[in-house]
Amino acid sequence: MGKFEKGILGGFRGTIGPVVGTNWRGIDVMRSRPKRSGRQATDKQLEQRMVFALVIRFFNPLRGLLDKYYGQPANERSRADLASSYLLREATTGSYPNITLDYNKVIITKGELAGPQDAVLVPQANAVLEFTWTDNSGQPEAVSTDLLLVVVYNPEKARFQFDHTEQRSAGALSLSLPDSWQGDVVHCWIGFTAMGGYRASTSLHLTATVL
């Protein structure tokens, strides 16, 4: 693997002939294209590949949020890098070939801002989710204008829905989901973000069956 500086051609990602370009901890690097192996993968390798594929499919639609609201960058690693490392390490359960995400361990936002207090999720008719919470403005760095970020994931449909409009002071939010989600179990993560910045609370996981 050879390190290179951005010269006349600049850095690149992807494969060009026998060379692969990528970025490692903020450094542009080139390496030889790996040779195909005729060896059969071990169960451990198959498990690692399955975990990686599972996490990346879930992670990619969330990359923009994670890169903005997941903790603080560290050692040239972005917030999204830290989030993906955590998901790979902590947020799966089971053994190959029966590996699934452990949604209760998934974290979407991470920070020191005060999170939702007394949060409750109640499904309503016609595919509506009702979230309620106590206005805890005045707790560490919490103000009434903090926005509630809601991420809803439907594993059956492999689709997300988001809301980022209601203030901490409102105490309630009704979120309409697609009618086709009725009868499905959804996983929700809620947390507050500060106006005009990258500060956030650590997300709280809730789940419900859509009515």
Side-chain angles (χ1 to χ4, degrees):
M1 180 175 69
K3 176 182 173 182
F4 68 96
E5 303 297 336
K6 293 186 178 179
I8 188 170
L9 297 179
F12 74 93
R13 294 189 182 186
T15 301
I16 301 177
V19 178
V20 178
T22 187
N23 187 278
W24 179 77
R25 295 190 177 181
I27 302 171
D28 290 319
V29 297
M30 291 188 299
R31 58 181 172 81
S32 299
R33 186 175 183 176
K35 295 181 180 180
R36 294 182 179 273
S37 172
R39 296 180 181 178
Q40 186 173 358
T42 65
D43 285 348
K44 184 64 175 178
Q45 289 172 322
L46 291 172
E47 180 175 318
Q48 290 173 339
R49 293 174 189 176
M50 188 173 185
V51 167
F52 185 80
L54 185 68
V55 167
I56 292 303
R57 281 197 301 270
F58 179 81
F59 170 86
N60 279 340
L62 300 171
R63 179 178 291 273
L65 288 176
L66 294 168
D67 209 23
K68 190 172 184 180
Y69 295 120
Y70 191 93
Q72 295 294 329
N75 298 324
E76 297 184 343
R77 300 184 68 191
S78 69
R79 293 177 174 88
D81 290 338
L82 296 175
S84 63
S85 295
Y86 169 81
L87 291 173
L88 288 166
R89 187 177 65 253
E90 301 290 346
T92 60
T93 186
S95 57
Y96 181 81
N98 300 309
I99 301 173
T100 59
L101 282 172
D102 187 343
Y103 296 107
N104 191 51
K105 291 185 179 179
V106 169
I107 297 174
I108 305 296
T109 61
K110 184 178 181 181
E112 301 302 321
L113 200 64
Q117 181 176 316
D118 305 323
V120 177
L121 168 58
V122 179
Q124 303 292 339
N126 302 314
V128 173
L129 298 182
E130 183 178 13
F131 299 88
T132 59
W133 62 91
T134 299
D135 179 9
N136 56 345
S137 301
Q139 290 187 5
E141 301 187 34
V143 297
S144 62
T145 55
D146 292 335
L147 293 179
L148 184 75
L149 173 62
V150 180
V151 176
V152 181
Y153 179 62
N154 184 332
E156 182 70 23
K157 304 291 192 296
R159 288 181 57 194
F160 286 93
Q161 184 152 327
F162 307 90
D163 190 276
H164 198 195
T165 59
E166 202 62 80
Q167 295 185 351
R168 188 187 294 267
S169 59
L173 167 70
S174 293
L175 180 61
S176 295
L177 302 176
D179 291 339
S180 61
W181 288 21
Q182 288 177 310
D184 293 345
V185 174
V186 295
H187 295 270
C188 309
W189 294 268
I190 63 174
F192 286 111
T193 67
M195 293 282 285
Y198 287 80
R199 293 182 301 120
S201 67
T202 299
S203 59
L204 173 68
H205 173 254
L206 302 168
T207 187
T209 300
V210 182
L211 301 180

